[in-house]
Amino acid sequence: MRSYIVFPQVEDLPTVKGDFYALGHIPNIIGAIDGTHVALIPPQEQKPEELPFYECADGDSGYPNLSWLLTPVRNPRTRAEERYNEAHERTRRVIERTFGLLKARFRCLHMTGGSLFYSPKKVCQIIVACCMLHNLALRRRVPFLQEDGKDGDVVAAVEPVDSEDEEAQEEDINNRNTVIHQYFQ
């Protein structure tokens, strides 16, 4: 797995930051996080307590704003906040496209492919295997047989969540506001 699913190394970070900056002009971004659902129907012999909900987590407004995780402004009031949200969306599309391409290549992961009839643990292994095969196909420039993974039919909108810890939330929002003020005024 480590040969086909890798995270950037420290020496790669300037390039990664530069690539993300080119998308939305937000500094110091080293990744995007999102989630996607894969339908499964577990075997009948499994007990309900053995069936936790699994999601491939990979921030949109579904995530709390944290000092290390920039999220969109829920109700932008200034043009700078609007520009920030637009830049944020351009930057975050990377992960949405990734899920779309993965689900287009492996229809068993897409809702139109039905459900996987395996245990949650086995479904996680299938997802990892699909990611590995997808990365191998990209490395070897294997073309898609069918490119029909559109953003709209793969990624659902997520409503914003509010943080429970008001003190931490204030500090995290101040961090986001600093980025907005310095780069989007």
Side-chain angles (χ1 to χ4, degrees):
M1 182 174 93
R2 292 175 193 232
S3 297
Y4 299 102
I5 301 175
V6 296
F7 291 95
Q9 301 300 308
V10 172
E11 59 271 10
D12 302 326
L13 291 182
T15 302
V16 171
K17 288 179 181 182
D19 291 346
F20 272 107
Y21 186 82
L23 295 172
H25 301 290
I26 301 175
N28 298 318
I29 301 294
I30 61 169
I33 187 168
D34 203 353
T36 190
H37 297 278
V38 174
L40 68 93
I41 298 175
Q44 294 296 319
E45 66 271 7
Q46 285 208 296
K47 299 176 184 120
E49 62 270 11
E50 296 174 346
L51 303 175
F53 179 74
Y54 283 82
E55 185 174 280
C56 298
D58 205 15
D60 64 19
S61 58
Y63 293 88
N65 195 61
L66 302 170
S67 60
W68 54 270
L69 179 66
L70 297 174
T71 59
V73 176
R74 181 190 295 256
N75 297 308
R77 294 185 197 109
T78 67
R79 183 63 189 125
E81 290 177 347
E82 290 172 1
R83 282 194 298 272
Y84 165 79
N85 277 359
E86 291 163 4
H88 186 277
E89 177 59 28
R90 284 191 306 273
T91 303
R92 226 184 54 71
R93 284 185 196 145
V94 168
I95 190 62
E96 291 180 6
R97 279 192 306 271
T98 300
F99 284 143
L101 290 172
L102 187 65
K103 288 181 173 188
R105 191 181 294 272
F106 299 98
R107 299 307 284 180
C108 66
L109 302 180
H110 191 276
M111 62 186 169
T112 60
S115 299
L116 294 171
F117 289 87
Y118 299 100
S119 69
K121 182 177 180 180
K122 179 62 81 177
V123 169
C124 287
Q125 292 170 336
I126 291 169
I127 293 168
V128 169
C130 289
C131 291
M132 291 169 58
L133 290 169
H134 177 69
N135 286 345
L136 179 62
L138 291 175
R139 284 184 192 174
R140 298 200 177 172
R141 292 182 166 74
V142 175
F144 281 89
L145 296 176
Q146 179 179 0
E147 291 196 30
D148 61 354
K150 298 173 184 73
D151 286 344
D153 66 353
V154 175
V155 180
V158 180
E159 288 299 314
V161 295
D162 292 320
S163 172
E164 298 289 326
D165 184 353
E166 289 182 24
E167 186 176 305
Q169 183 182 16
E170 184 178 334
E171 179 182 330
D172 300 331
I173 288 172
N174 286 340
N175 181 56
R176 179 179 65 192
N177 288 343
T178 299
V179 170
I180 292 170
H181 180 70
Q182 288 179 349
Y183 298 96
F184 295 97
Q185 287 292 355

